[in-house]
Amino acid sequence: MTRPALLSLDDALPQLLAQAVALPRVETVSTFEADGRVLVQDVVAALQVPPQDNSSMDGYAVRASDCAQADAVLRVTQRIPAGTHGTQLNAGEAARIFTGAPIPPGADAVVMQEDCEALEGDQVKVSKAVLAGQWIRRSGEDVTRGATVLSKGTRLTPAELGLAASIGLAQLQVSARPRVALFSTGDELVMPGDVAPEAMPAGAIYNSNRFFLRAMLQRLGCEVTDLGIVPDKREATIAALRDAAQHHDLILTSGGVSVGEEDHIKPAVESLGELNLWQLAIKPGKPFAYGKVNRDADSDDCHFMGLPGNPVSSFVTFLLLVRPFVLALQGVTKTDIARTEMTAHFDWPRADKRREFLRVKRNAQGGLDLFPNQSSGVLTSAVWGDGVVDNPAGQTIAKGDTVRFISFAE
């Protein structure tokens, strides 16, 4: 029997994101605690920022008409630190002013103190001609009243938290954290600390996937329930999926999604729900699966995503597929990954029929170096590298070619 053609990443990702309906649960959190959370409503400014014209320098507030020529001498009549307000500035007068302090009525320019000389008798000499408006921050030049400063679906960073605080918001409405159940399958897996390296049985390996998958989920704002290692048995896999589906939004597994006799994830998911995507035309990461596990009749089904067992395959499919899906569950509107054109400083003469993601590192010359071993089991490639080259199917690479680079930071 002829197997169906593998689904391309460009076809699979839109299908996947179409299933990622934003979770309805909403939380109100302190702006201090909102880093990485996702806004569920627009943030609209109720005031101007800055609230009034203010000085961007330490110096003197003046009337520009009094300083049309260099070396004008003015009488200093007031001192305005930040947090206070000055009084009317008349012709021939200057006000000592400090950064952030409001511009007093009558003044239309600020002279930085480096261009001034304090004289005896509360006078100041302005050494340069002054232009109206210089060194003044205008009211509303950062934020105008009524403007939408942050949009629904924004994933908050420290800069956005500062902006929210600048318009007086102590709390923000955000999407609830996705609840993710994580487990691995494989009788060969053991946990670090359970068995010493020198006592490892033949055929056993440490479960590395569990560590980086959990960390990446947490960095994306998920509440992770670590269900450990499930034995390579159909009944055990079904029981783990059924139980996890009841109280989670997503089940994420690694291992057991290939077609071997000991790979039970596919038939287990199909027995409890449906499998919508299975096997993609990418390398590494071909044995990727997406489906749903049925819950109680009055509840939506639980999402399921199955990643390959090989660590680099699991790592890459998480970045390409799980990451945008989890962000979309939180209502993030921009989930695509930026690709930057860079120069390959390596040769890749072996074109593959699948789209490849090659582990690379930026070098001091501004190009990309290739990790010598691109096996899907070599996790050191992901530590050594700082990104991947997104190489189209059937494409060779020669040194000097322009390639598409995806940063791990992205």
Side-chain angles (χ1 to χ4, degrees):
M1 183 176 66
T2 304
R3 289 184 178 177
L6 298 179
L7 194 64
S8 73
L9 180 62
D10 288 339
D11 289 335
L13 191 54
Q15 292 183 37
L16 191 66
L17 293 178
Q19 301 294 324
V21 177
L23 299 173
R25 303 188 306 275
V26 174
E27 296 177 359
T28 301
V29 299
S30 163
T31 304
F32 274 123
E33 305 300 328
D35 185 33
R37 305 300 293 271
V38 179
L39 287 174
V40 297
Q41 61 184 21
D42 291 343
V43 171
V44 178
L47 77 170
Q48 304 267 96
V49 179
Q52 60 273 315
D53 293 354
N54 69 85
S55 177
S56 63
M57 290 285 177
D58 290 346
Y60 293 84
V62 300
R63 298 160 64 104
S65 58
D66 289 338
C67 306
Q69 305 296 324
D71 296 329
V73 176
L74 306 173
R75 184 164 58 92
V76 180
T77 57
Q78 54 185 306
R79 184 176 185 274
I80 314 173
T84 65
H85 287 273
T87 58
Q88 177 68 36
L89 193 74
N90 299 313
E93 296 179 345
R96 182 71 168 110
I97 197 167
F98 297 87
T99 302
I103 302 299
D108 61 3
V110 171
V111 186
M112 68 174 76
Q113 61 189 18
E114 292 86 345
D115 293 334
C116 298
E117 179 186 352
L119 305 176
E120 293 182 0
D122 292 328
Q123 292 186 315
V124 62
K125 182 167 72 172
V126 179
S127 61
K128 296 181 179 179
V130 173
L131 297 175
Q134 71 179 38
W135 305 121
I136 292 178
R137 300 188 188 116
R138 295 300 181 185
S139 172
E141 72 174 34
D142 187 6
V143 176
T144 57
R145 183 183 293 106
T148 297
V149 296
L150 295 171
S151 299
K152 174 183 177 181
T154 297
R155 189 167 182 234
L156 297 165
T157 68
E160 275 107 5
L161 300 186
L163 183 56
S166 77
I167 60 171
L169 296 183
Q171 296 181 319
L172 295 168
Q173 293 281 306
V174 298
S175 174
R177 297 183 185 277
R179 301 169 302 197
V180 182
L182 174 67
F183 67 82
S184 306
T185 66
D187 291 339
E188 76 279 12
L189 298 175
V190 297
M191 284 297 291
D194 290 349
V195 181
E198 62 273 13
M200 286 281 280
I205 59 172
Y206 287 120
N207 185 359
S208 60
N209 294 12
R210 183 172 170 185
F211 287 82
F212 66 73
L213 291 176
R214 177 174 173 168
M216 290 196 290
L217 286 168
Q218 290 173 330
R219 286 191 177 198
L220 289 175
C222 299
E223 292 181 358
V224 182
T225 304
D226 189 339
L227 300 179
I229 301 169
V230 174
D232 275 332
K233 293 181 174 57
R234 180 78 55 89
E235 296 76 15
T237 305
I238 291 173
L241 290 168
R242 182 190 297 114
D243 292 344
Q246 301 310 311
H247 304 291
H248 295 89
D249 305 302
L250 168 66
I251 300 169
L252 182 67
T253 67
S254 68
V257 289
S258 294
V259 292
E261 294 180 3
E262 298 301 318
D263 294 315
H264 301 299
I265 288 291
K266 183 176 184 288
V269 172
E270 289 175 326
S271 73
L272 296 171
E274 60 185 12
L275 206 60
N276 306 112
L277 297 175
W278 185 57
Q279 297 200 334
L280 305 181
I282 60 174
K283 182 179 181 180
K286 171 185 170 184
F288 168 84
Y290 169 78
K292 292 184 178 180
V293 177
N294 295 334
R295 284 195 284 224
D296 299 332
D298 58 347
S299 301
D300 293 333
D301 294 337
C302 179
H303 299 286
F304 164 81
M305 302 181 85
L307 306 185
N310 279 323
V312 177
S313 299
S314 190
F315 185 78
V316 169
T317 50
F318 187 100
L319 297 178
L320 297 175
L321 297 155
V322 180
R323 173 190 172 275
F325 187 86
V326 167
L327 292 177
L329 284 182
Q330 297 174 77
V332 174
T333 52
K334 185 180 183 301
T335 62
D336 55 310
I337 300 174
R339 289 161 170 82
T340 304
E341 290 192 348
M342 295 189 68
T343 302
H345 287 183
F346 61 88
D347 294 312
W348 186 252
R350 305 183 302 276
D352 196 275
K353 61 183 179 181
R354 287 179 280 161
R355 184 172 174 179
E356 299 175 287
F357 293 88
L358 307 172
R359 277 80 72 203
V360 294
K361 179 168 66 175
R362 285 169 288 200
N363 58 36
Q365 293 73 45
L368 297 171
D369 293 330
L370 182 74
F371 193 77
N373 188 341
Q374 290 290 317
S375 167
S376 61
V378 181
L379 192 55
T380 49
S381 65
V383 176
W384 174 89
D386 57 11
V388 293
V389 165
D390 181 357
N391 192 42
Q395 181 72 54
T396 60
I397 300 173
K399 187 174 182 179
D401 285 350
T402 298
V403 294
R404 295 183 301 171
F405 173 73
I406 301 173
S407 168
F408 286 151
E410 177 68 26

